[in-house]
Amino acid sequence: MSTQQEAGLAITHRVLILGAGYAGMAAAIQLAARAKRREDVRVTLVNAQERFTERLRLQMTATGQQLAELSIPELLRGTGARFVRGWVTAVDAEAKTVRIDDDRVLHYDTLVYGLGSAADTEAVPGAADHAYTLDSAQDAKLLADRLARLGGGTVVVVGSGLTGTESAAEIAERHPEADVVLLGREEPGAAMTPKAKAYLRAALTRLRVRVRSGVEVVKVLPDAVELAGGESVAADVVVWASGTRVSPLAAAAGLTVDERGRVVTDTVLRSVSHPDVYAVGDAAAIRQGYGVMHGTCQGGMPTGVHAAVSILRALEGKRPKPFRFGYYHTPVSLGRHDAVVQFTRPDDSPRRIHLTGRMAARYKETVTASPWPTYGRMKKMPASGAFWPRGGRFTRGGGAR
């Protein structure tokens, strides 16, 4: 029997949240708000940096534009949640401990695993050594410094998905003297309707972005990228936006993971192998009726909220409700004053309706604006309040792509 039990005191349930990205922050704020009056729940959020990274807007930082400094401890102030700064180096799922880089060991009763993803620079030789990424504000500032000194050189952006397309457009608009080349296996906007896709392609042409689809980069050199087939494309700067990878810590801890290393979850976002572990955001392989969710903020924030609600329901002896999510839109910035927004069905397939031009740019800016007001509303909500629709259904996402 523990000392607390012998003294007749309530046992504190320790909830440890790893990662303060969009999903982890949502979990921490929502859980702290709902458990604020409970003395038996202690919430701790662990993150490598005190600054919140607005990953959806890092291409702006990369082109010299200033974003607000968002402090994680400042937002947590008054919630009762504790912040611990540190890199997670190991998770012991059997001992229920987490080790961070200063050798501190943190104990938990429930773990929320939200360490997210990073650009996959390991899959292609030379990418880690010679390419810039957009994983953090520091990465983006390094790229901004290089672009400021570039002059009329060539910037090759590898990856024609959302991040690559937005980055190429932002760089071309802010550095019109540069030659920007966008390389990818698929054409930009491949999942959009023909009209939306055509608008996107025309906007890139207007910005003088040279697009090459159907190509695969197999090696990154100091001054070029090499394509499958042996062709080389000269490059003064390479921006890597081709695929993501997750931390190997979940697999090393013995959690069941998928082929990409993401934690496989049940219907309420618990690990299928370790039910005291919840996985959220990019770190989780969450299956819905249409398939496994792909990592976006649009889906990440709702997973964090749902995990928080599920943890409290379980502590109250109630059964957590299944997580259900449907996509709503795919907004793509094309510089600061242009965009295309493709509205989607819940399975992320395109609807006929889309927005373009300045209206789309305003829409995109609204949905990808700082999440701080949203987190602030969560922080002030009553313990019994409902931030998203009831019944476990998240059909309109978390406010961003």
Side-chain angles (χ1 to χ4, degrees):
M1 182 178 293
S2 70
T3 303
Q4 282 182 307
Q5 288 173 317
E6 290 175 347
L9 301 175
I11 302 299
T12 299
H13 189 93
R14 299 160 298 185
V15 182
L16 190 60
I17 301 170
L18 306 184
Y22 292 98
M25 281 298 300
I29 295 296
Q30 186 79 174
L31 185 58
R34 290 176 179 268
K36 196 169 185 179
R37 297 179 183 176
R38 296 186 55 152
E39 297 182 357
D40 60 335
V41 178
R42 185 173 69 194
V43 180
T44 302
L45 176 63
V46 180
N47 198 61
Q49 304 291 336
E50 291 188 1
R51 175 180 175 171
F52 179 79
T53 299
E54 294 186 84
R55 289 192 66 174
L56 297 180
R57 297 158 70 85
L58 284 178
Q59 67 272 14
M60 296 173 63
T61 303
T63 52
Q65 301 171 71
Q66 296 297 315
L67 299 181
E69 294 277 343
L70 303 178
S71 168
I72 296 169
E74 179 65 29
L75 183 67
L76 292 179
R77 186 169 292 126
T79 66
R82 184 167 66 114
F83 176 74
V84 173
R85 179 175 177 174
W87 288 92
V88 177
T89 59
V91 176
D92 189 330
E94 303 307 319
K96 296 187 178 182
T97 61
V98 170
R99 185 177 295 276
I100 57 179
D101 55 349
D102 61 3
D103 286 333
R104 277 183 291 173
V105 175
L106 308 175
H107 297 261
Y108 69 83
D109 298 296
T110 298
L111 182 71
V112 179
Y113 187 91
L115 291 179
S117 63
D120 187 2
T121 56
E122 302 298 323
V124 173
D129 296 322
H130 306 303
Y132 291 84
T133 61
L134 292 174
D135 290 328
S136 68
Q138 292 90 336
D139 293 338
K141 286 179 180 178
L142 287 173
L143 177 55
D145 290 343
R146 180 66 184 94
L147 291 174
R149 295 181 280 107
L150 179 64
T154 300
V155 180
V156 171
V157 180
V158 181
S160 55
L162 298 182
T163 300
T165 300
E166 291 191 338
S167 298
E170 203 79 36
I171 293 169
E173 181 176 84
R174 299 287 291 189
H175 296 278
E177 72 285 358
D179 178 22
V180 181
V181 182
L182 178 61
L183 304 178
R185 294 185 181 90
E186 297 184 330
E187 61 180 317
M192 295 180 174
T193 60
K195 287 185 177 180
K197 188 192 310 179
Y199 184 91
L200 188 155
R201 187 62 181 265
L204 291 175
T205 299
R206 174 180 54 79
L207 290 167
R208 295 190 300 168
V209 175
R210 292 194 287 130
V211 177
R212 293 190 58 182
S213 304
V215 299
E216 180 182 0
V217 174
V218 296
K219 191 173 185 179
V220 180
L221 304 170
D223 58 357
V225 297
E226 187 176 303
L227 307 182
E231 180 188 355
S232 291
V233 178
D236 296 289
V237 176
V238 176
V239 181
W240 196 260
S242 179
T244 59
R245 58 184 170 84
V246 299
S247 168
L249 290 175
L255 302 177
T256 298
V257 298
D258 69 356
E259 68 282 355
R260 293 178 53 190
R262 298 176 298 181
V263 178
V264 179
T265 70
D266 64 12
T267 59
V268 301
L269 306 186
R270 293 175 302 204
S271 161
V272 295
S273 59
H274 294 75
D276 50 7
V277 177
Y278 288 76
V280 297
D282 296 357
I286 302 169
R287 181 165 292 280
Q288 298 290 284
Y290 48 79
V292 177
M293 291 174 58
H294 56 78
T296 64
C297 173
Q298 184 179 168
M301 290 178 71
T303 65
V305 172
H306 192 84
V309 173
S310 296
I311 290 168
L312 286 177
R313 287 185 65 86
L315 289 176
E316 293 167 357
K318 301 175 183 177
R319 175 180 289 185
K321 297 180 180 180
F323 176 77
R324 298 171 186 168
F325 175 81
Y327 295 97
Y328 183 59
H329 56 206
T330 302
V332 184
S333 293
L334 299 167
R336 291 296 84 211
H337 306 291
D338 196 5
V340 58
V341 179
Q342 175 67 68
F343 292 96
T344 67
R345 299 181 180 86
D347 65 359
D348 208 27
S349 62
R351 297 183 185 274
R352 293 179 61 184
I353 186 172
H354 66 275
L355 297 176
T356 59
R358 289 185 177 273
M359 181 181 295
R362 288 194 293 270
Y363 180 98
K364 173 67 162 62
E365 186 63 20
T366 299
V367 299
T368 61
S370 167
W372 244 226
T374 299
Y375 292 141
R377 289 193 293 273
M378 290 185 192
K379 180 178 175 180
K380 296 175 182 178
M381 66 178 292
S384 60
F387 185 76
W388 263 283
R390 297 179 181 178
R393 292 190 63 85
F394 293 80
T395 58
R396 286 298 179 267
R401 69 166 166 80

